[in-house]
Amino acid sequence: MAIASIKEVAQLASVSIGTVSNVLNRPHAVAPATRQRVLSAMNELGFVRNESARALRSGRTRTMGLVVPDVTNPFCTDVAAGVQTVAEANGMMVTLCNSDHDGPRERRYLDHLEEQRVQGILITPVDGENDRLDQLIERGTPAVLLAHVSANLHRCAAAVDDHLGGRMAAEHLLGQGHRKLAFVGGPSGSSQVTGRHKGAAAAVADVGDGATLELIQVPSLSFASGRHAAEHLAALPRQARPTALFCANDTLALGMMQGLSTLGLRVPDDIALIGYDDIDYAAAATVPLSSIRQPRRELGRVAAELLLEEIDIGEQHRHRQVLFAPEVIVRASTVRG
């Protein structure tokens, strides 16, 4: 059976073809009673929108791209959920791309999304901002930075103050009496990791009193990297080990916690441990994990709204950067009983 046409829907609903088009593309412009009559006609006829034809006419698909560095990280999953909520409310789809912290792969995804004529792109860049993002914007594809503060005002951004978050994590550990701290993080090119490390270093420098902050570099913010780093720490003489660790995210911290436990070190009695993000698994860990909370879904929601605003307003759009404040969540991993 042939798919019903817009003309047939208009005839059954006793409206113009333009009204049917408005219901599909600008529903807010149609009176509720008329809109419902058109929708009922579509349902009765089994009408299916021809998105390919619409995209050919407009030059754009009703899709936004979302490029994240690690789709397996619950933080990215929660951010994507916030983006999806806004996209669905505005009749759009989201194409999710996982760069896996790989710069060339990220560029390939940006090329693909531009070729697919997405309306805009949300991205947490691997190595900070690059000329590929500038090219996108110059050629008419808006790009909003997600969980990354822009170095200039040429694009919108939604992020959390990572420098403040790093400072808060270190201040919490220092407040528990620790003076021999270590920051565990990587890769080195990540602006989020750099900001957290610098914030922690500033807090340690401010307190003085012989406090130190060692840097333990890991290849990725993964569970496996946490376990491997734990093996390194456990092999050190007790007097050479830090007494408190600040891990750059919760996944890394949970791997660290499991590794330390397996090797006979107790959290927090032998080594205190705080993470970053406050993912759901943090509170459910064997030793509930202290963490720096980020408003993950809200971050995704605001970034998507910034992108839609830029798409709707066009060249008259004024770029904005929304910076959220983090929050310290204290649990058993940093507080001795």
Side-chain angles (χ1 to χ4, degrees):
M1 183 173 68
I3 297 175
S5 67
I6 286 182
K7 182 178 180 181
E8 290 171 317
V9 172
Q11 290 174 341
L12 181 59
S14 299
V15 298
S16 68
I17 292 175
T19 297
V20 176
S21 178
N22 281 337
V23 170
L24 291 171
N25 300 295
R26 294 174 294 279
H28 59 276
V30 183
T34 303
R35 185 167 66 243
Q36 186 55 52
R37 195 163 74 247
V38 172
L39 293 173
S40 296
M42 289 178 179
N43 185 60
E44 182 178 336
L45 293 171
F47 173 81
V48 177
R49 177 184 190 138
N50 188 337
E51 181 63 22
S52 295
R54 192 209 65 80
L56 284 172
R57 290 192 300 271
S58 67
R60 292 283 173 184
T61 61
R62 292 185 63 80
T63 305
M64 65 173 69
L66 173 59
V67 185
V68 298
D70 182 6
V71 75
T72 66
N73 187 333
F75 170 80
C76 293
T77 304
D78 289 343
V79 169
V83 172
Q84 184 68 34
T85 298
V86 174
E88 285 186 352
N90 288 273
M92 296 184 70
M93 299 290 290
V94 178
T95 297
L96 178 62
C97 303
N98 177 34
S99 67
D100 200 24
H101 295 285
D102 184 304
R105 177 181 291 178
E106 176 184 89
R107 295 182 72 93
R108 289 194 297 272
Y109 276 133
L110 292 176
D111 291 343
H112 175 74
L113 291 170
E114 187 177 26
E115 290 167 0
Q116 294 300 311
R117 298 296 190 269
V118 297
Q119 293 205 19
I121 294 172
L122 298 165
I123 181 171
T124 303
V126 172
D127 297 314
E129 301 175 65
N130 55 59
D131 58 353
R132 187 67 186 87
L133 293 177
D134 293 329
Q135 292 170 4
L136 282 171
I137 295 170
E138 289 171 1
R139 294 201 289 247
T141 301
V144 171
L145 300 179
L146 179 54
H148 179 92
V149 178
S150 179
N152 54 57
L153 299 179
H154 298 314
R155 57 182 62 91
C156 287
V160 173
D161 190 338
D162 285 309
H163 190 279
L164 175 60
R167 172 179 281 278
M168 293 165 73
E171 286 177 344
H172 170 64
L173 296 175
L174 292 164
Q176 295 298 310
H178 296 284
R179 290 297 178 267
K180 198 170 186 178
L181 281 60
F183 175 80
V184 188
S188 59
S190 168
S191 63
Q192 295 99 314
V193 173
T194 300
R196 294 165 198 179
H197 180 220
K198 287 183 176 179
V204 170
D206 287 347
V207 79
D209 193 25
T212 59
L213 180 70
E214 177 187 355
L215 172 61
I216 300 176
Q217 188 77 42
V218 292
S220 67
L221 302 181
S222 66
F223 190 89
S225 288
R227 284 184 58 90
H228 293 151
E231 293 172 1
H232 162 72
L233 287 173
L236 296 174
R238 181 171 183 174
Q239 64 273 19
R241 287 198 300 261
T243 65
L245 304 174
F246 169 29
C247 292
N249 80 353
D250 286 346
T251 305
L252 182 66
L254 291 171
M256 176 72 76
M257 182 183 292
Q258 187 187 82
L260 293 173
S261 177
T262 300
L263 295 165
L265 294 175
R266 297 165 301 167
V267 175
D269 296 324
D270 294 316
I271 299 183
L273 183 61
I274 188 170
Y276 203 104
D277 291 338
D278 194 35
I279 61 176
D280 292 339
Y281 300 126
T286 304
V287 179
L289 178 68
S290 294
S291 187
I292 303 299
R293 175 177 291 170
Q294 300 195 80
R296 304 179 300 278
R297 292 188 179 229
E298 182 72 359
L299 192 63
R301 184 188 66 78
V302 168
E305 289 176 347
L306 288 172
L307 182 61
L308 289 176
E309 181 183 295
E310 186 167 354
I311 292 169
D312 290 341
I313 297 177
E315 293 183 359
Q316 301 304 313
H317 171 75
R318 297 185 65 181
H319 295 300
R320 293 187 292 129
Q321 299 196 33
V322 180
L323 193 64
F324 292 91
E327 177 186 0
V328 180
I329 305 299
V330 179
R331 300 191 180 98
S333 69
T334 55
V335 181
R336 292 188 178 99

